[in-house]
Amino acid sequence: MKKYEGPKVLLLEDIHTEGPKVEVVLNMLEDLNIVRSKRKERNALNFFSDKPEQPVAIIMYMNGQEALGIYFSDNAYMLGSATFGVRRFRKRNVCCLKLVGNGEINLTDFLSSLTPTNENHIFLAN
């Protein structure tokens, strides 16, 4: 039996510099129906506990009370493909985010590490 690990939390440095980058990447992924996000601006520390569906990731900022819950959509499998999927955008500067401290993370790599790999998908060529 697989142990439930819960949502992964990504704590970013600054809402004013990292927030617009996150919005660009999430808008791109939402347009492709890969993820959907829900914004919570009041008490962010309850980690979306009042929602019936738990997010796979939560993005928070050190200097803001905003939190973003990230949920997978129908095309989430596209995060796992390095050649044809979303990970080919990893070299774009907008995907590189500053973590609290001195670390950096790539948002598309972070989300692709959370995708389930044991599902079977059927790809059809048109």
Side-chain angles (χ1 to χ4, degrees):
M1 180 180 229
K2 186 176 178 181
K3 184 176 90 170
Y4 175 73
E5 297 178 12
K8 301 291 182 189
V9 177
L10 187 62
L11 185 59
L12 300 178
E13 182 85 18
D14 185 26
I15 193 169
H16 303 293
T17 58
E18 307 305 320
K21 292 180 184 180
V22 170
E23 290 298 321
V24 167
V25 174
L26 288 180
N27 286 337
M28 177 185 67
L29 296 177
E30 286 177 355
D31 288 344
L32 295 171
N33 198 22
I34 294 172
V35 299
R36 65 187 194 283
S37 63
K38 292 183 182 174
R39 181 179 316 275
K40 192 166 194 173
E41 296 200 22
R42 47 186 205 273
N43 189 4
L45 290 177
N46 64 10
F47 294 109
F48 296 83
S49 61
D50 57 342
K51 305 292 181 194
E53 180 185 9
Q54 290 293 317
V56 294
I58 298 172
I59 299 175
M60 298 177 67
Y61 302 97
M62 190 66 176
N63 62 347
Q65 291 189 2
E66 176 179 305
L68 293 169
I70 309 297
Y71 302 86
F72 287 141
S73 292
D74 295 335
N75 294 334
Y77 64 89
M78 291 177 68
L79 286 168
S81 175
T83 307
F84 302 107
V86 177
R87 289 180 59 198
R88 64 189 168 115
F89 297 122
R90 80 170 67 121
K91 291 187 170 71
R92 289 188 177 182
N93 191 26
V94 73
C95 295
C96 296
L97 303 171
K98 225 179 199 187
L99 294 172
V100 171
N102 293 329
E104 285 189 359
I105 193 166
N106 189 302
L107 185 56
T108 55
D109 286 343
F110 171 73
L111 292 175
S112 66
S113 70
L114 301 176
T115 58
T117 57
N118 57 355
E119 293 184 16
N120 295 327
H121 297 286
I122 300 173
F123 300 96
L124 301 175
N126 292 334

